[in-house]
Amino acid sequence: MMRQYELVERVSRYNPNTDEALLNKAYVYAMQKHGSQTRASGDPYFSHPLEVAAILTDMKLDDATVAVALLHDTIEDTDATRAEIDKLFGEEIGKLVDGLTKIKRLDLESRKAKQAENFRKLLLAIADDVRVLLVKLADRLHNMRTLHHMPEHKRGRIAEETMEIYAPLAGRMGMQEVREELEDISFETLYPEAFETIKERLGQLREKNQSLIADIETDLQERLAARGITAEVSGREKRPYSIFRKMQQKSLGFEQLSDIYGFRIIVTTVEACYRVLGVVHTAWPCVPGRFKDYISTPKQNDYRSIHTTVVGPKRQRVELQVRTYAMHRINENGIAAHALYKDGVTGGRDISQLSTDSRAYAWLRSTIDMLSQGDTPEEFLEHTKLELFHDQVFCFTPKGRLIALPKGATPIDFAYAVHTDIGNTCVGCKVNGHITSLVTELNNGDEVEVVRSQAQTPPPAWENIAVTGKARAAIRRATRASAKKQYGGLGKHILERAFERCEKHFVEAELEPYLAHFDKETTQDLIVAVGRGEVSASSVLTTLYPDAETDGIAERAVEVLPAGSASEGWFEVSEGASVKFKIPEAGNESANSLPIRGLTNSLPVRFAPNGGAVPGDRIVGILSPDVGITIYPIQSPDLKEFDDQPDRWLDVRWDIDPDAPERFPAQISVFAVNEPGSLATITKVISDCSGNIDNLKMIRQASDFHEMLIDLEVWDLKHLNRILNHLRSKPNVSKAVRVNG
Ligand code: MN
């Protein structure tokens, strides 16, 4: 364990004006507070804050940051209080330790769904002072270095969180060294086999290419020296995680990865960087598309360097990075290096000065500002597109609640993510104020408003549209429940009708004694089975009344089509089987079917009495004990009446045979000027458009205009709209609209 004087020495090496008393006081205080506490490794707990402080001295940070590192776990893990720390070390340090305490509490609940929220809180916790983040990253780095001491079941979660939040954040802050080490340890923990394989291969390659790195280093050095350029050249293997990521991104095998080696050439001036580039490109052919000049255009995290890939002396592709010493310091240590570079060796630096120099810090600052000012969500997201969010989209409820979803998620997933009830009653949505299809893929920043109807049950086909497990499971559950309800309603009706024909009265309770016979547990199960067509109504009837005359009663209420003949997800009963029903016309047993799928053959069907329904309308069937099934266009206001009776709603749709077109009923209301020939004009327009008039009723006849209701027969919605448009184009027609459609 590092001694007190050793720590002070480390700091005074880069900061001669260091406040030794402060460091000593923090050292003693933290050591006493942690007392006999130990870590998972068995080491005294105090060794941890001490190591964190050491990491920060490597980054050459100021006294306050080093002191905070020593104190960072005292409030959370010992009897130390914020007030006490304020009193002993001043409010600046107290505030920093407090920020770290807040972040530590966050770590406890880092589940996937909470990531966005956690990330937000993390940024807010570091809002006042970026040093909180620096200490936090050093804290995490030491915890990762000692992760193997943790119980195995805890390692995965910590490594995952590191990979998803802390490593990208370190990268975003330009701290490449910290990022790479965090990534490699997480990688080794999360994918031990992949890590070992890559390490082994790297070892083999090292064996084979033994002197390759040294040879290229020498070669480069000599060529540069010949041109009078003094440069520091160093070669290295890429890090295991960086190789793994490349293999994944490009779907390449290890052998196909050509640039395992990277070389850094560090020079004193920017001008020298470009001269180096000239030397390199003259000596070896460069690989097209690999040249990048981050000196003229720095990365958002302040990274500056020239990148190029060449085919080197041994036909080996090598990546070269050319930079100055000043750039290198910032490339490796990001905002931490910035702090030092800006303020030289004086302690107590003013963090706000960073903002003028550091793009990474400016990014952090503006992100935090937006969070605290509650700026627009779009802007917030635009600025927080970190690597950790790449496979996620972030959307908002109209009240501004953030909902994180996997990429590819639809408004259906969104609805279920908000609440299962909202998903189950979702019938439509508005995205950014516009009515949008429920199958639309959501984008970052979208505001999604879910349109709900209590009458809705989620269609089974949604299961294939939703991408979240939560939505899928809920849809499956709801469909099963609703299918059961629907079949229950159908079954009951079928039984009632069958009993009626034999002049019996159907009473559910009377099924009770026969449940075992049908191998059912409840009377409802039996009724559902009848609805599904698994049990025929006549068999129920003859079981209860062996003498009953069952001729003329359909053996099966429904005809189950073989799997595959049904269209996608439509009124699905179970694995692949969907149900097709045929309907006899009222009073006529010869099954003359309506071209609508999803109906039972034992129930009469009619179109909505007010307004009808035509192909092109989205339709639903409403089951009524007295009239059978009535088909309504989904937008019909008459449907409101059934809103609270979801079990009466049947999912139906058109099944038109294009070779045998039929006409369908629709009703229109027309206001026309009361003048000679007006009515004739209207009927002529309709017949010119080849519409049939079934009935015409004068509703009002005033001295200046008529209102009339016309029952039409049309081919489909397009045909109906054509008629309406032609009517509206006539000067004597003031209004022509569809009724309830
Ligand atoms: Mn700690």
Side-chain angles (χ1 to χ4, degrees):
M1 205 157 72
M2 204 195 310
R3 302 294 186 83
Q4 202 169 326
Y5 72 89
E6 287 174 299
L7 179 72
V8 174
E9 229 175 60
R10 280 176 86 121
V11 180
S12 38
R13 232 175 280 153
Y14 62 85
N15 183 3
N17 303 323
T18 182
D19 182 350
E20 290 185 23
L22 172 71
L23 294 178
N24 284 330
K25 195 161 61 164
Y27 187 105
V28 171
Y29 180 81
M31 187 167 65
Q32 283 174 348
K33 282 293 171 190
H34 287 295
S36 59
Q37 290 175 351
T38 53
R39 302 201 86 212
S41 59
D43 289 339
Y45 193 91
F46 181 60
S47 66
H48 164 66
L50 198 51
E51 284 301 325
V52 175
I55 292 170
L56 293 165
T57 61
D58 287 343
M59 297 180 195
K60 301 183 176 151
L61 287 164
D62 65 345
D63 296 338
T65 312
V66 177
V68 168
L70 293 169
L71 301 170
H72 81 269
D73 279 333
T74 54
I75 295 184
E76 183 68 6
D77 294 340
T78 78
D79 61 4
T81 60
R82 165 81 196 270
E84 196 176 34
I85 289 177
D86 277 0
K87 208 176 104 208
L88 286 168
F89 300 96
E91 215 171 309
E92 183 193 2
I93 286 176
K95 219 171 152 189
L96 292 168
V97 176
D98 193 48
L100 284 151
T101 308
K102 279 187 191 139
I103 299 175
K104 184 157 186 181
R105 287 174 187 159
L106 275 185
D107 287 0
L108 302 175
E109 41 162 355
S110 175
R111 310 223 3 244
K112 261 239 141 83
K114 295 214 161 154
Q115 250 185 41
E117 189 51 29
N118 265 357
F119 179 67
R120 201 177 148 268
K121 287 183 189 157
L122 175 75
L123 289 182
L124 286 172
I126 59 176
D128 292 331
D129 201 319
V130 74
R131 288 175 293 184
V132 171
L133 177 61
L134 298 178
V135 177
K136 182 62 206 176
L137 288 172
D139 174 42
R140 180 50 62 111
L141 185 57
H142 183 245
N143 284 335
M144 290 305 284
R145 284 177 181 168
T146 53
L147 188 64
H148 54 279
H149 293 301
M150 292 295 280
E152 212 165 328
H153 68 276
K154 286 189 178 169
R155 291 182 208 163
R157 190 191 65 77
I158 297 170
E160 219 168 84
E161 187 189 66
T162 302
M163 194 67 115
E164 284 165 353
I165 294 184
Y166 292 103
L169 198 53
R172 196 63 189 73
M173 293 297 105
M175 302 162 78
Q176 299 312 327
E177 253 179 339
V178 175
R179 193 198 83 187
E180 286 179 353
E181 194 176 345
L182 289 176
E183 279 175 353
D184 278 338
I185 304 171
S186 305
F187 174 48
E188 184 178 1
T189 310
L190 293 169
Y191 307 98
E193 280 162 23
F195 181 84
E196 280 309 318
T197 312
I198 289 175
K199 238 180 91 176
E200 211 171 282
R201 296 292 191 82
L202 279 172
Q204 290 166 2
L205 216 56
R206 212 174 295 138
E207 193 94 333
K208 196 177 126 199
N209 296 328
Q210 284 212 355
S211 58
L212 184 79
I213 290 185
D215 289 351
I216 296 179
E217 272 176 11
T218 317
D219 196 338
L220 270 168
Q221 203 104 51
E222 282 168 3
R223 282 171 196 271
L224 293 173
R227 299 295 198 87
I229 304 169
T230 322
E232 190 182 313
V233 180
S234 61
R236 63 167 197 165
E237 286 167 359
K238 295 246 165 101
R239 307 284 282 248
Y241 181 67
S242 137
I243 292 172
F244 177 71
R245 188 164 46 191
K246 212 164 243 183
M247 285 166 64
Q248 295 239 302
Q249 278 171 357
K250 305 191 173 164
S251 314
L252 292 175
F254 190 87
E255 282 76 13
Q256 295 164 281
L257 281 185
S258 43
D259 42 357
I260 301 290
Y261 301 110
F263 289 83
R264 269 182 198 147
I265 303 169
I266 308 180
V267 292
T268 45
T269 64
V270 174
E271 192 238 332
C273 292
Y274 291 97
R275 287 179 61 209
V276 168
L277 190 67
V279 173
V280 167
H281 281 177
T282 316
W284 298 297
C286 74
V287 177
R290 294 294 302 268
F291 173 75
K292 286 185 191 99
D293 184 351
Y294 295 119
I295 290 179
S296 66
T297 323
K299 287 194 191 181
Q300 278 297 316
N301 61 8
D302 302 326
Y303 180 92
R304 295 170 81 202
S305 190
I306 291 172
H307 288 191
T308 187
T309 302
V310 297
V311 181
K314 295 192 174 161
R315 312 299 307 155
Q316 183 82 38
R317 271 163 60 142
V318 291
E319 190 187 86
L320 299 169
Q321 301 174 345
V322 191
R323 54 182 66 168
T324 66
Y325 286 101
M327 292 172 194
H328 184 61
R329 212 158 31 225
I330 289 166
N331 292 351
E332 294 296 289
N333 290 314
I335 51 170
H338 244 293
L340 170 77
Y341 186 59
K342 180 83 192 166
D343 298 302
V345 291
T346 55
R349 60 183 48 99
D350 178 5
I351 290 294
S352 67
Q353 281 186 329
L354 271 175
S355 54
T356 51
D357 256 25
S358 163
R359 291 158 65 108
Y361 187 71
W363 171 85
L364 186 64
R365 197 69 256 170
S366 69
T367 303
I368 291 165
D369 282 350
M370 262 183 296
L371 279 173
S372 41
Q373 288 163 17
D375 228 299
T376 67
E378 286 91 334
E379 268 181 276
F380 164 51
L381 286 162
E382 190 54 43
H383 285 76
T384 44
K385 271 180 198 153
L386 284 169
E387 263 177 272
L388 61 154
F389 293 150
H390 271 181
D391 57 347
Q392 289 194 297
V393 290
F394 292 87
C395 303
F396 294 85
T397 66
K399 285 183 182 163
R401 193 176 139 203
L402 178 72
I403 304 289
L405 296 163
K407 215 169 157 56
T410 63
I412 298 170
D413 294 295
F414 179 93
Y416 278 103
V418 176
H419 196 280
T420 304
D421 274 352
I422 294 185
N424 281 340
T425 54
C426 163
V427 288
C429 69
K430 283 184 188 170
V431 174
N432 303 324
H434 302 291
I435 294 197
T436 308
S437 154
L438 285 171
V439 301
T440 313
E441 199 173 299
L442 292 173
N443 292 312
N444 257 333
D446 280 348
E447 184 188 294
V448 185
E449 185 185 341
V450 176
V451 182
R452 302 170 65 189
S453 160
Q454 290 305 326
Q456 166 75 346
T457 46
W462 279 12
E463 203 189 315
N464 299 321
I465 298 165
V467 303
T468 52
K470 183 177 182 190
R472 288 181 179 205
I475 293 163
R476 251 194 315 271
R477 222 168 22 243
T479 331
R480 218 177 290 130
S482 110
K484 203 170 170 185
K485 257 187 183 171
Q486 285 189 4
Y487 285 117
L490 273 176
K492 182 159 183 262
H493 202 77
I494 290 161
L495 286 167
E496 281 169 355
R497 278 179 58 93
F499 277 56
E500 228 168 76
R501 286 191 195 202
C502 302
E503 288 159 349
K504 308 283 185 208
H505 185 63
F506 173 72
V507 179
E508 185 174 336
E510 286 174 7
L511 297 176
E512 203 79 52
Y514 306 97
L515 289 176
H517 174 82
F518 289 103
D519 197 20
K520 299 289 172 212
E521 294 201 342
T522 65
T523 54
Q524 190 57 30
D525 286 349
L526 179 54
I527 293 169
V528 168
V530 172
R532 283 182 189 279
E534 292 162 3
V535 173
S536 70
S538 57
S539 70
V540 176
L541 190 59
T542 50
T543 305
L544 267 70
Y545 301 99
D547 308 334
E549 180 65 61
T550 58
D551 284 358
I553 295 175
E555 262 312 295
R556 302 186 73 180
V558 297
E559 171 194 346
V560 179
L561 294 175
S565 60
S567 325
E568 70 293 342
W570 160 245
F571 205 131
E572 235 170 28
V573 184
S574 60
E575 279 81 354
S578 79
V579 183
K580 186 182 174 186
F581 302 87
K582 296 208 169 179
I583 324 101
E585 270 183 346
N588 180 357
E589 289 299 324
S590 74
N592 193 357
S593 69
L594 275 186
I596 290 170
R597 303 184 77 184
L599 300 174
T600 165
N601 64 352
S602 52
L603 293 175
V605 173
R606 59 171 197 164
F607 286 107
N610 303 315
V614 301
D617 286 332
R618 268 190 63 206
I619 48 174
V620 292
I622 295 291
L623 192 67
S624 308
D626 304 318
V627 294
I629 294 164
T630 309
I631 305 296
Y632 291 87
I634 193 83
Q635 66 274 28
S636 168
D638 293 351
L639 284 171
K640 277 216 179 66
E641 190 187 327
F642 310 107
D643 265 356
D644 54 354
Q645 305 167 64
D647 50 341
R648 294 178 61 186
W649 290 58
L650 292 178
D651 223 346
V652 293
R653 73 172 172 191
W654 299 102
D655 188 18
I656 304 292
D657 179 358
D659 297 330
E662 297 175 57
R663 286 177 181 270
F664 296 88
Q667 198 172 40
I668 61 172
S669 148
V670 180
F671 286 71
V673 179
N674 185 6
E675 63 183 13
S678 190
L679 189 61
T681 315
I682 289 162
T683 54
K684 183 164 187 305
V685 167
I686 292 171
S687 73
D688 282 351
C689 291
S690 66
N692 287 349
I693 296 177
D694 223 3
N695 195 5
L696 192 149
K697 249 187 295 182
M698 285 295 179
I699 303 292
R700 265 191 297 172
Q701 274 183 297
S703 57
D704 51 349
F705 70 88
H706 306 307
E707 182 190 351
M708 61 198 93
L709 274 181
I710 307 174
D711 289 323
L712 292 177
E713 283 186 323
V714 296
W715 300 116
D716 54 26
L717 192 57
K718 231 163 101 188
H719 186 203
L720 176 62
N721 285 334
R722 197 169 75 232
I723 293 171
L724 286 169
N725 284 334
H726 274 268
L727 285 171
R728 289 173 196 141
S729 71
K730 295 294 165 197
N732 60 321
V733 172
S734 65
K735 193 176 160 192
V737 291
R738 185 176 176 191
V739 174
N740 286 352

